[in-house]
Amino acid sequence: MPDIPWSTPTRPAPGAEVYVMASRFETASLTGALRFFLKSPGIIRQMRNAPGAHGFALRARVLRRTFLTLSAWKDRDALYRFAGSEPHRSSSRAAAAYMKESGFVFWTVPASELPIDWAEAERRLAEQARKQEKAKGPDTDTDTDTDTDTEPERG
């Protein structure tokens, strides 16, 4: 599957502020990457119909075992309702078994700034990963989960 470009299921209200999430997943094996990849179409269908979803995109680097997602939501609750419903809920739980690393970053922007570009999402993900590595210190294993769930920053 090629990358999924930015898609807008529902347009936000003019002047609204939206809640943005970028994520990075790296699987431990190519088999895990294929499993993740095969679950993607169902999640994409779910996104297209999710209440409060204002946009999403996917970058799939299957042979590198890496996937990036980018989405914009009416608010945090809309994102969490999506994440807690099927098929995302069971797919994310199953993915834990074959995931090497995952990272998440959240922020808010005016709706007029949609779509968010990949450069901004990747910059924020890299910055978050650096913060996590720094917080771990020099004597810790660097091959551990980098999940973050911080409150959004503005702009």
Side-chain angles (χ1 to χ4, degrees), residues 106-148:
F106 307 88
W107 70 100
T108 58
V109 297
S112 61
E113 292 185 20
L114 296 179
I116 304 297
D117 67 29
W118 280 111
E120 176 65 10
E122 291 183 83
R123 181 191 69 75
R124 288 175 181 265
L125 284 163
E127 180 181 309
Q128 186 65 37
R130 281 191 300 276
K131 287 179 184 176
Q132 289 295 110
E133 285 301 314
K134 189 175 182 178
K136 286 181 191 175
D139 297 325
T140 59
D141 181 4
T142 60
D143 195 27
T144 58
D145 197 323
T146 59
D147 282 354
T148 61

mmCIF file of all heavy atoms in Angstrom, residues 106-148:
data_model
loop_
_atom_site.group_PDB
_atom_site.id
_atom_site.type_symbol
_atom_site.label_atom_id
_atom_site.label_comp_id
_atom_site.label_asym_id
_atom_site.label_seq_id
_atom_site.Cartn_x
_atom_site.Cartn_y
_atom_site.Cartn_z
ATOM 1 N N PHE A 106 1.179 15.232 20.726
ATOM 2 C CA PHE A 106 -0.112 15.890 20.585
ATOM 3 C C PHE A 106 0.076 17.403 20.662
ATOM 4 O O PHE A 106 0.894 17.883 21.440
ATOM 5 C CB PHE A 106 -1.044 15.463 21.730
ATOM 6 C CG PHE A 106 -1.176 13.972 21.867
ATOM 7 C CD1 PHE A 106 -0.293 13.254 22.648
ATOM 8 C CD2 PHE A 106 -2.181 13.302 21.212
ATOM 9 C CE1 PHE A 106 -0.416 11.879 22.775
ATOM 10 C CE2 PHE A 106 -2.321 11.927 21.338
ATOM 11 C CZ PHE A 106 -1.427 11.216 22.116
ATOM 12 N N TRP A 107 -0.701 18.128 19.885
ATOM 13 C CA TRP A 107 -0.686 19.582 19.959
ATOM 14 C C TRP A 107 -1.984 20.125 19.352
ATOM 15 O O TRP A 107 -2.752 19.364 18.772
ATOM 16 C CB TRP A 107 0.566 20.176 19.307
ATOM 17 C CG TRP A 107 0.672 20.085 17.810
ATOM 18 C CD1 TRP A 107 0.388 21.088 16.920
ATOM 19 C CD2 TRP A 107 1.119 18.978 17.015
ATOM 20 N NE1 TRP A 107 0.631 20.668 15.631
ATOM 21 C CE2 TRP A 107 1.076 19.375 15.666
ATOM 22 C CE3 TRP A 107 1.548 17.695 17.308
ATOM 23 C CZ2 TRP A 107 1.439 18.535 14.609
ATOM 24 C CZ3 TRP A 107 1.911 16.844 16.268
ATOM 25 C CH2 TRP A 107 1.865 17.259 14.945
ATOM 26 N N THR A 108 -2.218 21.385 19.516
ATOM 27 C CA THR A 108 -3.403 22.004 18.928
ATOM 28 C C THR A 108 -2.978 23.086 17.941
ATOM 29 O O THR A 108 -1.909 23.701 18.097
ATOM 30 C CB THR A 108 -4.323 22.621 20.004
ATOM 31 O OG1 THR A 108 -3.588 23.580 20.748
ATOM 32 C CG2 THR A 108 -4.874 21.558 20.936
ATOM 33 N N VAL A 109 -3.817 23.276 16.935
ATOM 34 C CA VAL A 109 -3.580 24.312 15.924
ATOM 35 C C VAL A 109 -4.923 24.879 15.489
ATOM 36 O O VAL A 109 -5.949 24.207 15.603
ATOM 37 C CB VAL A 109 -2.836 23.776 14.669
ATOM 38 C CG1 VAL A 109 -1.456 23.268 15.010
ATOM 39 C CG2 VAL A 109 -3.650 22.728 13.946
ATOM 40 N N PRO A 110 -4.912 26.087 14.947
ATOM 41 C CA PRO A 110 -6.143 26.592 14.326
ATOM 42 C C PRO A 110 -6.494 25.697 13.125
ATOM 43 O O PRO A 110 -5.595 25.242 12.402
ATOM 44 C CB PRO A 110 -5.766 27.999 13.854
ATOM 45 C CG PRO A 110 -4.551 28.360 14.656
ATOM 46 C CD PRO A 110 -3.836 27.073 14.927
ATOM 47 N N ALA A 111 -7.768 25.467 12.915
ATOM 48 C CA ALA A 111 -8.207 24.617 11.804
ATOM 49 C C ALA A 111 -7.703 25.129 10.458
ATOM 50 O O ALA A 111 -7.481 24.340 9.538
ATOM 51 C CB ALA A 111 -9.731 24.514 11.802
ATOM 52 N N SER A 112 -7.474 26.421 10.367
ATOM 53 C CA SER A 112 -6.988 26.996 9.107
ATOM 54 C C SER A 112 -5.596 26.485 8.736
ATOM 55 O O SER A 112 -5.174 26.617 7.588
ATOM 56 C CB SER A 112 -6.978 28.522 9.201
ATOM 57 O OG SER A 112 -6.105 28.937 10.247
ATOM 58 N N GLU A 113 -4.874 25.871 9.693
ATOM 59 C CA GLU A 113 -3.530 25.342 9.410
ATOM 60 C C GLU A 113 -3.555 23.913 8.881
ATOM 61 O O GLU A 113 -2.501 23.344 8.592
ATOM 62 C CB GLU A 113 -2.659 25.438 10.652
ATOM 63 C CG GLU A 113 -2.340 26.867 11.023
ATOM 64 C CD GLU A 113 -1.373 26.978 12.193
ATOM 65 O OE1 GLU A 113 -0.658 26.000 12.502
ATOM 66 O OE2 GLU A 113 -1.336 28.059 12.788
ATOM 67 N N LEU A 114 -4.739 23.337 8.760
ATOM 68 C CA LEU A 114 -4.831 21.996 8.177
ATOM 69 C C LEU A 114 -4.714 22.089 6.666
ATOM 70 O O LEU A 114 -5.179 23.057 6.077
ATOM 71 C CB LEU A 114 -6.164 21.342 8.560
ATOM 72 C CG LEU A 114 -6.371 21.062 10.044
ATOM 73 C CD1 LEU A 114 -7.748 20.436 10.265
ATOM 74 C CD2 LEU A 114 -5.286 20.155 10.604
ATOM 75 N N PRO A 115 -4.109 21.105 6.020
ATOM 76 C CA PRO A 115 -3.528 19.911 6.617
ATOM 77 C C PRO A 115 -2.152 20.182 7.210
ATOM 78 O O PRO A 115 -1.414 21.052 6.744
ATOM 79 C CB PRO A 115 -3.415 18.946 5.437
ATOM 80 C CG PRO A 115 -3.241 19.825 4.242
ATOM 81 C CD PRO A 115 -4.030 21.083 4.545
ATOM 82 N N ILE A 116 -1.832 19.437 8.227
ATOM 83 C CA ILE A 116 -0.495 19.495 8.840
ATOM 84 C C ILE A 116 0.473 18.801 7.887
ATOM 85 O O ILE A 116 0.143 17.754 7.322
ATOM 86 C CB ILE A 116 -0.485 18.753 10.204
ATOM 87 C CG1 ILE A 116 -1.554 19.324 11.136
ATOM 88 C CG2 ILE A 116 0.896 18.762 10.837
ATOM 89 C CD1 ILE A 116 -1.358 20.766 11.514
ATOM 90 N N ASP A 117 1.657 19.367 7.716
ATOM 91 C CA ASP A 117 2.592 18.692 6.814
ATOM 92 C C ASP A 117 3.473 17.701 7.583
ATOM 93 O O ASP A 117 3.642 17.794 8.796
ATOM 94 C CB ASP A 117 3.415 19.684 5.999
ATOM 95 C CG ASP A 117 4.385 20.519 6.795
ATOM 96 O OD1 ASP A 117 4.864 20.065 7.845
ATOM 97 O OD2 ASP A 117 4.698 21.633 6.350
ATOM 98 N N TRP A 118 3.996 16.745 6.841
ATOM 99 C CA TRP A 118 4.803 15.687 7.437
ATOM 100 C C TRP A 118 6.059 16.225 8.100
ATOM 101 O O TRP A 118 6.495 15.696 9.123
ATOM 102 C CB TRP A 118 5.162 14.628 6.401
ATOM 103 C CG TRP A 118 4.049 13.675 6.162
ATOM 104 C CD1 TRP A 118 3.293 13.550 5.038
ATOM 105 C CD2 TRP A 118 3.540 12.713 7.090
ATOM 106 N NE1 TRP A 118 2.345 12.570 5.214
ATOM 107 C CE2 TRP A 118 2.479 12.036 6.464
ATOM 108 C CE3 TRP A 118 3.872 12.358 8.399
ATOM 109 C CZ2 TRP A 118 1.758 11.023 7.087
ATOM 110 C CZ3 TRP A 118 3.159 11.346 9.014
ATOM 111 C CH2 TRP A 118 2.117 10.687 8.364
ATOM 112 N N ALA A 119 6.654 17.267 7.543
ATOM 113 C CA ALA A 119 7.884 17.812 8.133
ATOM 114 C C ALA A 119 7.631 18.262 9.564
ATOM 115 O O ALA A 119 8.430 18.010 10.471
ATOM 116 C CB ALA A 119 8.426 18.956 7.281
ATOM 117 N N GLU A 120 6.501 18.921 9.800
ATOM 118 C CA GLU A 120 6.160 19.379 11.150
ATOM 119 C C GLU A 120 5.909 18.193 12.079
ATOM 120 O O GLU A 120 6.382 18.169 13.220
ATOM 121 C CB GLU A 120 4.926 20.291 11.108
ATOM 122 C CG GLU A 120 4.440 20.752 12.460
ATOM 123 C CD GLU A 120 5.418 21.647 13.207
ATOM 124 O OE1 GLU A 120 6.430 22.100 12.625
ATOM 125 O OE2 GLU A 120 5.176 21.907 14.402
ATOM 126 N N ALA A 121 5.179 17.218 11.614
ATOM 127 C CA ALA A 121 4.900 16.031 12.432
ATOM 128 C C ALA A 121 6.194 15.295 12.781
ATOM 129 O O ALA A 121 6.419 14.932 13.942
ATOM 130 C CB ALA A 121 3.946 15.103 11.699
ATOM 131 N N GLU A 122 7.047 15.088 11.808
ATOM 132 C CA GLU A 122 8.301 14.372 12.057
ATOM 133 C C GLU A 122 9.225 15.161 12.968
ATOM 134 O O GLU A 122 9.923 14.584 13.807
ATOM 135 C CB GLU A 122 8.976 14.022 10.732
ATOM 136 C CG GLU A 122 8.197 12.960 9.975
ATOM 137 C CD GLU A 122 8.858 12.534 8.695
ATOM 138 O OE1 GLU A 122 9.759 11.675 8.762
ATOM 139 O OE2 GLU A 122 8.475 13.068 7.625
ATOM 140 N N ARG A 123 9.242 16.487 12.827
ATOM 141 C CA ARG A 123 10.045 17.317 13.726
ATOM 142 C C ARG A 123 9.587 17.133 15.166
ATOM 143 O O ARG A 123 10.386 16.933 16.073
ATOM 144 C CB ARG A 123 9.947 18.797 13.316
ATOM 145 C CG ARG A 123 10.782 19.731 14.197
ATOM 146 C CD ARG A 123 10.462 21.196 13.963
ATOM 147 N NE ARG A 123 9.143 21.586 14.430
ATOM 148 C CZ ARG A 123 8.806 21.759 15.720
ATOM 149 N NH1 ARG A 123 9.694 21.553 16.675
ATOM 150 N NH2 ARG A 123 7.586 22.138 16.057
ATOM 151 N N ARG A 124 8.290 17.179 15.385
ATOM 152 C CA ARG A 124 7.749 17.027 16.737
ATOM 153 C C ARG A 124 7.999 15.628 17.298
ATOM 154 O O ARG A 124 8.309 15.475 18.477
ATOM 155 C CB ARG A 124 6.261 17.358 16.754
ATOM 156 C CG ARG A 124 5.984 18.849 16.596
ATOM 157 C CD ARG A 124 4.480 19.111 16.483
ATOM 158 N NE ARG A 124 4.185 20.511 16.319
ATOM 159 C CZ ARG A 124 3.872 21.341 17.308
ATOM 160 N NH1 ARG A 124 3.828 20.918 18.543
ATOM 161 N NH2 ARG A 124 3.601 22.601 17.053
ATOM 162 N N LEU A 125 7.854 14.606 16.465
ATOM 163 C CA LEU A 125 8.133 13.236 16.922
ATOM 164 C C LEU A 125 9.604 13.068 17.299
ATOM 165 O O LEU A 125 9.927 12.456 18.317
ATOM 166 C CB LEU A 125 7.737 12.219 15.854
ATOM 167 C CG LEU A 125 6.246 11.959 15.721
ATOM 168 C CD1 LEU A 125 5.934 11.275 14.396
ATOM 169 C CD2 LEU A 125 5.737 11.133 16.899
ATOM 170 N N ALA A 126 10.507 13.615 16.480
ATOM 171 C CA ALA A 126 11.942 13.518 16.767
ATOM 172 C C ALA A 126 12.287 14.267 18.051
ATOM 173 O O ALA A 126 13.078 13.781 18.876
ATOM 174 C CB ALA A 126 12.754 14.058 15.587
ATOM 175 N N GLU A 127 11.697 15.430 18.238
ATOM 176 C CA GLU A 127 11.933 16.211 19.460
ATOM 177 C C GLU A 127 11.451 15.438 20.689
ATOM 178 O O GLU A 127 12.138 15.380 21.706
ATOM 179 C CB GLU A 127 11.202 17.551 19.353
ATOM 180 C CG GLU A 127 11.374 18.455 20.543
ATOM 181 C CD GLU A 127 10.603 19.760 20.362
ATOM 182 O OE1 GLU A 127 10.768 20.400 19.306
ATOM 183 O OE2 GLU A 127 9.840 20.111 21.275
ATOM 184 N N GLN A 128 10.286 14.824 20.590
ATOM 185 C CA GLN A 128 9.755 14.038 21.699
ATOM 186 C C GLN A 128 10.658 12.838 21.994
ATOM 187 O O GLN A 128 10.925 12.521 23.152
ATOM 188 C CB GLN A 128 8.330 13.567 21.389
ATOM 189 C CG GLN A 128 7.657 12.881 22.542
ATOM 190 C CD GLN A 128 7.435 13.815 23.728
ATOM 191 O OE1 GLN A 128 7.141 14.984 23.560
ATOM 192 N NE2 GLN A 128 7.587 13.304 24.912
ATOM 193 N N ALA A 129 11.153 12.178 20.953
ATOM 194 C CA ALA A 129 12.047 11.025 21.147
ATOM 195 C C ALA A 129 13.343 11.459 21.837
ATOM 196 O O ALA A 129 13.842 10.753 22.718
ATOM 197 C CB ALA A 129 12.343 10.363 19.804
ATOM 198 N N ARG A 130 13.866 12.623 21.455
ATOM 199 C CA ARG A 130 15.082 13.138 22.116
ATOM 200 C C ARG A 130 14.826 13.404 23.592
ATOM 201 O O ARG A 130 15.649 13.083 24.447
ATOM 202 C CB ARG A 130 15.574 14.410 21.426
ATOM 203 C CG ARG A 130 16.346 14.166 20.153
ATOM 204 C CD ARG A 130 17.034 15.425 19.640
ATOM 205 N NE ARG A 130 16.113 16.504 19.337
ATOM 206 C CZ ARG A 130 15.451 16.644 18.188
ATOM 207 N NH1 ARG A 130 15.610 15.756 17.237
ATOM 208 N NH2 ARG A 130 14.646 17.664 18.001
ATOM 209 N N LYS A 131 13.679 13.983 23.900
ATOM 210 C CA LYS A 131 13.334 14.240 25.306
ATOM 211 C C LYS A 131 13.248 12.929 26.079
ATOM 212 O O LYS A 131 13.712 12.840 27.214
ATOM 213 C CB LYS A 131 11.998 14.981 25.399
ATOM 214 C CG LYS A 131 12.057 16.421 24.984
ATOM 215 C CD LYS A 131 10.664 17.040 25.085
ATOM 216 C CE LYS A 131 10.644 18.457 24.586
ATOM 217 N NZ LYS A 131 9.279 19.017 24.601
ATOM 218 N N GLN A 132 12.654 11.927 25.477
ATOM 219 C CA GLN A 132 12.517 10.626 26.137
ATOM 220 C C GLN A 132 13.883 9.989 26.373
ATOM 221 O O GLN A 132 14.136 9.431 27.434
ATOM 222 C CB GLN A 132 11.645 9.684 25.302
ATOM 223 C CG GLN A 132 10.190 10.051 25.284
ATOM 224 C CD GLN A 132 9.563 9.927 26.650
ATOM 225 O OE1 GLN A 132 9.221 10.938 27.255
ATOM 226 N NE2 GLN A 132 9.402 8.733 27.140
ATOM 227 N N GLU A 133 14.756 10.059 25.387
ATOM 228 C CA GLU A 133 16.098 9.488 25.527
ATOM 229 C C GLU A 133 16.874 10.209 26.621
ATOM 230 O O GLU A 133 17.553 9.582 27.430
ATOM 231 C CB GLU A 133 16.860 9.556 24.198
ATOM 232 C CG GLU A 133 16.400 8.542 23.183
ATOM 233 C CD GLU A 133 16.538 7.109 23.656
ATOM 234 O OE1 GLU A 133 17.601 6.741 24.202
ATOM 235 O OE2 GLU A 133 15.570 6.346 23.494
ATOM 236 N N LYS A 134 16.755 11.517 26.649
ATOM 237 C CA LYS A 134 17.444 12.312 27.672
ATOM 238 C C LYS A 134 16.927 11.959 29.063
ATOM 239 O O LYS A 134 17.693 11.841 30.016
ATOM 240 C CB LYS A 134 17.252 13.799 27.389
ATOM 241 C CG LYS A 134 18.088 14.697 28.243
ATOM 242 C CD LYS A 134 17.933 16.146 27.812
ATOM 243 C CE LYS A 134 18.810 17.036 28.643
ATOM 244 N NZ LYS A 134 18.722 18.433 28.234
ATOM 245 N N ALA A 135 15.616 11.763 29.169
ATOM 246 C CA ALA A 135 15.018 11.423 30.464
ATOM 247 C C ALA A 135 15.448 10.040 30.944
ATOM 248 O O ALA A 135 15.519 9.795 32.141
ATOM 249 C CB ALA A 135 13.498 11.493 30.366
ATOM 250 N N LYS A 136 15.742 9.142 30.013
ATOM 251 C CA LYS A 136 16.169 7.788 30.382
ATOM 252 C C LYS A 136 17.542 7.794 31.021
ATOM 253 O O LYS A 136 17.833 6.962 31.853
ATOM 254 C CB LYS A 136 16.225 6.884 29.149
ATOM 255 C CG LYS A 136 14.893 6.472 28.622
ATOM 256 C CD LYS A 136 15.108 5.580 27.422
ATOM 257 C CE LYS A 136 13.835 5.336 26.670
ATOM 258 N NZ LYS A 136 14.082 4.565 25.460
ATOM 259 N N GLY A 137 18.394 8.712 30.577
ATOM 260 C CA GLY A 137 19.747 8.768 31.114
ATOM 261 C C GLY A 137 20.665 7.811 30.376
ATOM 262 O O GLY A 137 20.240 6.977 29.591
ATOM 263 N N PRO A 138 21.964 7.899 30.645
ATOM 264 C CA PRO A 138 22.956 7.126 29.891
ATOM 265 C C PRO A 138 23.027 5.645 30.255
ATOM 266 O O PRO A 138 23.542 4.860 29.490
ATOM 267 C CB PRO A 138 24.278 7.820 30.238
ATOM 268 C CG PRO A 138 24.024 8.429 31.584
ATOM 269 C CD PRO A 138 22.570 8.814 31.586
ATOM 270 N N ASP A 139 22.497 5.230 31.395
ATOM 271 C CA ASP A 139 22.648 3.847 31.832
ATOM 272 C C ASP A 139 21.427 2.987 31.567
ATOM 273 O O ASP A 139 21.291 1.914 32.137
ATOM 274 C CB ASP A 139 22.965 3.798 33.332
ATOM 275 C CG ASP A 139 24.279 4.475 33.643
ATOM 276 O OD1 ASP A 139 25.202 4.392 32.808
ATOM 277 O OD2 ASP A 139 24.352 5.097 34.700
ATOM 278 N N THR A 140 20.532 3.422 30.698
ATOM 279 C CA THR A 140 19.321 2.643 30.450
ATOM 280 C C THR A 140 19.344 2.037 29.063
ATOM 281 O O THR A 140 20.049 2.491 28.171
ATOM 282 C CB THR A 140 18.066 3.516 30.601
ATOM 283 O OG1 THR A 140 18.149 4.588 29.673
ATOM 284 C CG2 THR A 140 17.907 4.027 32.013
ATOM 285 N N ASP A 141 18.545 1.017 28.888
ATOM 286 C CA ASP A 141 18.415 0.330 27.610
ATOM 287 C C ASP A 141 17.763 1.279 26.613
ATOM 288 O O ASP A 141 16.710 1.832 26.872
ATOM 289 C CB ASP A 141 17.557 -0.922 27.830
ATOM 290 C CG ASP A 141 17.384 -1.736 26.569
ATOM 291 O OD1 ASP A 141 17.992 -1.379 25.542
ATOM 292 O OD2 ASP A 141 16.660 -2.735 26.619
ATOM 293 N N THR A 142 18.337 1.433 25.429
ATOM 294 C CA THR A 142 17.782 2.338 24.430
ATOM 295 C C THR A 142 16.788 1.647 23.519
ATOM 296 O O THR A 142 16.238 2.269 22.637
ATOM 297 C CB THR A 142 18.902 2.962 23.571
ATOM 298 O OG1 THR A 142 19.589 1.898 22.911
ATOM 299 C CG2 THR A 142 19.834 3.792 24.410
ATOM 300 N N ASP A 143 16.526 0.371 23.721
ATOM 301 C CA ASP A 143 15.629 -0.364 22.844
ATOM 302 C C ASP A 143 14.295 -0.637 23.534
ATOM 303 O O ASP A 143 13.799 -1.741 23.546
ATOM 304 C CB ASP A 143 16.308 -1.683 22.433
ATOM 305 C CG ASP A 143 15.619 -2.334 21.245
ATOM 306 O OD1 ASP A 143 15.017 -1.598 20.450
ATOM 307 O OD2 ASP A 143 15.676 -3.573 21.135
ATOM 308 N N THR A 144 13.730 0.407 24.147
ATOM 309 C CA THR A 144 12.464 0.242 24.868
ATOM 310 C C THR A 144 11.411 1.158 24.283
ATOM 311 O O THR A 144 11.705 2.042 23.495
ATOM 312 C CB THR A 144 12.639 0.566 26.364
ATOM 313 O OG1 THR A 144 13.114 1.914 26.479
ATOM 314 C CG2 THR A 144 13.600 -0.395 27.032
ATOM 315 N N ASP A 145 10.219 0.952 24.689
ATOM 316 C CA ASP A 145 9.083 1.716 24.222
ATOM 317 C C ASP A 145 9.247 3.185 24.561
ATOM 318 O O ASP A 145 9.697 3.529 25.636
ATOM 319 C CB ASP A 145 7.833 1.158 24.897
ATOM 320 C CG ASP A 145 6.570 1.584 24.197
ATOM 321 O OD1 ASP A 145 6.525 2.730 23.734
ATOM 322 O OD2 ASP A 145 5.656 0.754 24.133
ATOM 323 N N THR A 146 8.866 4.063 23.622
ATOM 324 C CA THR A 146 8.976 5.499 23.851
ATOM 325 C C THR A 146 7.610 6.163 23.850
ATOM 326 O O THR A 146 7.471 7.298 23.445
ATOM 327 C CB THR A 146 9.877 6.167 22.787
ATOM 328 O OG1 THR A 146 9.298 5.921 21.491
ATOM 329 C CG2 THR A 146 11.287 5.663 22.862
ATOM 330 N N ASP A 147 6.584 5.428 24.267
ATOM 331 C CA ASP A 147 5.248 6.006 24.313
ATOM 332 C C ASP A 147 5.238 7.281 25.129
ATOM 333 O O ASP A 147 5.869 7.352 26.173
ATOM 334 C CB ASP A 147 4.254 5.052 24.985
ATOM 335 C CG ASP A 147 3.815 3.943 24.061
ATOM 336 O OD1 ASP A 147 4.194 3.976 22.888
ATOM 337 O OD2 ASP A 147 3.086 3.064 24.538
ATOM 338 N N THR A 148 4.522 8.253 24.644
ATOM 339 C CA THR A 148 4.316 9.460 25.417
ATOM 340 C C THR A 148 2.862 9.836 25.304
ATOM 341 O O THR A 148 2.224 9.607 24.295
ATOM 342 C CB THR A 148 5.174 10.635 24.906
ATOM 343 O OG1 THR A 148 4.805 10.896 23.560
ATOM 344 C CG2 THR A 148 6.647 10.330 25.011
#
